[in-house]
Amino acid sequence: MEQPGHAPVRMWLREPARKGALLPQKQLVALAQAIDPTMQHPVARRLHELAADPLGGIH
């Protein structure tokens, strides 16, 4: 999320130590809640969706 006058923040959601796997579910949920505990922000919602279903419905 960018705010005028501030540098954009980038955060990796994959761990090199885990061969590029997504962050663990608990960490994705914690990040989503830190962004917006009400899950109204689209980034928070998407992180929560990734935590619940990392394959996006592909099984």
Side-chain angles (χ1 to χ4, degrees):
M1 181 164 72
E2 290 188 41
Q3 294 182 352
H6 293 89
V9 174
R10 291 179 186 230
M11 183 169 194
W12 295 101
L13 300 179
R14 298 192 177 275
E15 288 189 82
R18 294 179 58 219
K19 300 181 183 175
L22 281 173
L23 292 173
Q25 180 183 23
K26 288 181 182 181
Q27 290 180 10
L28 289 171
V29 170
L31 180 57
Q33 290 175 343
I35 291 171
D36 182 3
T38 66
M39 298 298 156
Q40 298 300 308
H41 192 280
V43 172
R45 275 197 311 269
R46 182 64 184 127
L47 288 169
H48 197 267
E49 289 168 4
L50 277 173
D53 184 11
L55 297 177
I58 300 171
H59 297 279

